[in-house]
């Protein structure tokens, strides 16, 4: 099972997705393009490992708490030619992986977008603040770094080549919820060939520890604005950083 003679691993970071993770894994496993599903257990809710064990996924544990820490661990754990990141909370359709893969022959990073109204399902957590906040920060990235058209900085669902993953991880400084944006910023600075594609966005199973809390959402939004503002100042250092040398933490 490969896609265009390339192996593909799906990385699923998990913290509070016990009730939805098994179904998400099985739907990815049903896709012939997927060779492996890797779950990164980030101090997840009790019972999560038992749900994962009912599937064919491989599970690793990352003790350092944080969305970014979990994703970085997953990127380091796989040697697949292509890596897909997704959240197993029911908000994404695993079958949309094919939308992202359609652009991989010409790109090295394809990122989903949750802000296109046509694909936002009733009940999805994409209200005015989240939608236009993500869109506004995305446009700031586009303007500052002269990128392709961007419309969402918070969408986990994406596919990248192994080479891009190995460029991004050593340059990573964020272990929390803003890591998806940092990945985008590093890719923009390195002039990685990337594009953003609309994906379906559905109601979450359970409550998010971030977007389910209005105050936490506002804090995350302010952090993202800060990351974007500082990204131009860090650009030169990010570009010249040798592989394996971590940049100074923010």
């Amino acid at each position: 099972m490969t896609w265009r003679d390339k192996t593909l691993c799906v990385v699923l970071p998990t913290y509070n997705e016990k009730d939805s993770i098994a179904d998400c894994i099985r739907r990815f496993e049903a896709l012939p393009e997927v060779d492996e599903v890797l779950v990164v257990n980030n101090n997840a809710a009790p019972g999560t490992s038992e749900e994962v064990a009912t599937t064919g996924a491989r599970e690793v544990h990352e003790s350092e708490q944080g969305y970014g820490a979990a994703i970085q661990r997953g990127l380091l754990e796989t040697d697949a030619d292509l890596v897909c990141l997704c959240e197993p909370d029911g908000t994404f359709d695993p079958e949309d992986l094919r939308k992202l893969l359609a652009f991989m022959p010409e790109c090295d990073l394809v990122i989903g977008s949750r802000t296109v109204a046509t694909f936002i399902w009733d009940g999805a957590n994409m209200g005015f603040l989240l939608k236009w906040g993500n869109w506004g920060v995305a446009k700031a990235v586009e303007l500052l770094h002269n990128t392709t058209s961007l419309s969402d900085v918070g969408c986990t669902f994406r596919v990248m080549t192994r080479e891009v993953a190995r460029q991004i991880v050593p340059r990573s400084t964020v272990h929390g919820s803003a890591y998806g944006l940092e990945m985008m910023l590093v890719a923009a600075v390195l002039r990685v060939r990337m594009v953003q594609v609309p994906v379906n966005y559905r109601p979450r199973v359970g409550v998010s520890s971030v977007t389910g809390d209005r105050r936490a959402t506002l804090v995350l939004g302010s952090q993202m604005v800060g990351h974007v503002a500082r990204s131009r100042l860090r650009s030169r250092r990010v570009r010249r950083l040798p592989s394996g040398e971590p940049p100074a933490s923010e």
Side-chain angles (χ1 to χ4, degrees):
M1 293 192 299
T2 59
W3 180 81
R4 299 195 176 193
D5 296 323
K6 295 183 184 295
T7 54
L8 191 156
C9 175
V10 177
V11 174
L12 303 175
T14 182
Y15 175 67
N16 190 29
E17 294 84 19
K18 177 180 73 70
D19 295 330
S20 55
I21 193 167
D23 178 67
C24 178
I25 292 170
R26 292 190 183 101
R27 288 171 68 183
F28 272 118
E29 289 179 328
L31 299 176
E33 296 88 349
V34 174
D35 294 279
E36 180 184 32
V37 178
L38 173 65
V39 173
V40 182
N41 186 319
N42 193 211
N43 307 305
T48 300
S49 292
E50 287 77 3
E51 291 293 322
V52 174
T54 67
T55 72
R58 176 165 66 98
E59 183 180 30
V60 297
H61 291 259
E62 175 53 54
S63 59
E64 181 167 356
Q65 191 61 51
Y67 169 84
I71 289 179
Q72 290 168 49
R73 175 65 184 276
L75 294 177
L76 291 171
E77 282 282 339
T78 180
D79 288 324
D81 299 316
L82 300 174
V83 185
C84 168
L85 302 178
C86 192
E87 290 184 83
D89 57 5
T91 55
F92 296 113
D93 287 350
E95 296 76 17
D96 276 352
L97 171 62
R98 288 168 173 158
K99 291 184 182 179
L100 307 183
L101 287 174
F103 291 86
M104 286 306 292
E106 290 80 32
C107 299
D108 299 306
L109 172 61
V110 183
I111 305 173
S113 174
R114 308 160 299 165
T115 61
V116 178
T118 305
F119 299 97
I120 302 174
W121 289 68
D122 289 344
N125 186 20
M126 188 52 69
F128 182 90
L129 180 64
L130 277 174
K131 178 179 178 178
W132 294 107
N134 270 288
W135 183 89
V137 177
K139 290 305 173 186
V141 175
E142 185 180 333
L143 176 65
L144 286 173
H145 296 284
N146 192 28
T147 68
T148 185
S149 179
L150 300 173
S151 60
D152 186 1
V153 295
C155 184
T156 299
F157 206 177
R158 60 191 66 192
V159 178
M160 70 191 77
T161 64
R162 179 174 56 200
E163 291 74 20
V164 166
R166 289 178 175 174
Q167 289 180 71
I168 289 175
V169 172
R171 294 170 167 84
S172 299
T173 65
V174 176
H175 288 175
S177 299
Y179 184 59
L181 169 61
E182 184 181 45
M183 295 179 74
M184 179 184 286
L185 289 169
V186 171
V189 169
L190 297 178
R191 310 309 298 171
V192 169
R193 297 182 304 167
M194 66 177 171
V195 71
Q196 195 150 42
V197 180
V199 293
N200 286 286
Y201 194 58
R202 297 178 180 273
R204 190 189 199 280
V205 177
V207 178
S208 169
S209 59
V210 177
T211 57
D213 182 327
R214 186 178 180 85
R215 182 177 178 278
T217 301
L218 291 171
V219 170
L220 176 59
S222 65
Q223 290 174 349
M224 286 184 167
V225 170
H227 285 305
V228 174
R230 291 190 295 272
S231 66
R232 283 299 295 268
L233 300 176
R234 297 183 63 239
S235 293
R236 185 173 299 177
R237 175 173 171 77
V238 168
R239 280 194 294 266
R240 69 169 182 254
L241 186 71
S243 178
E245 179 188 335
S249 290
E250 298 183 354

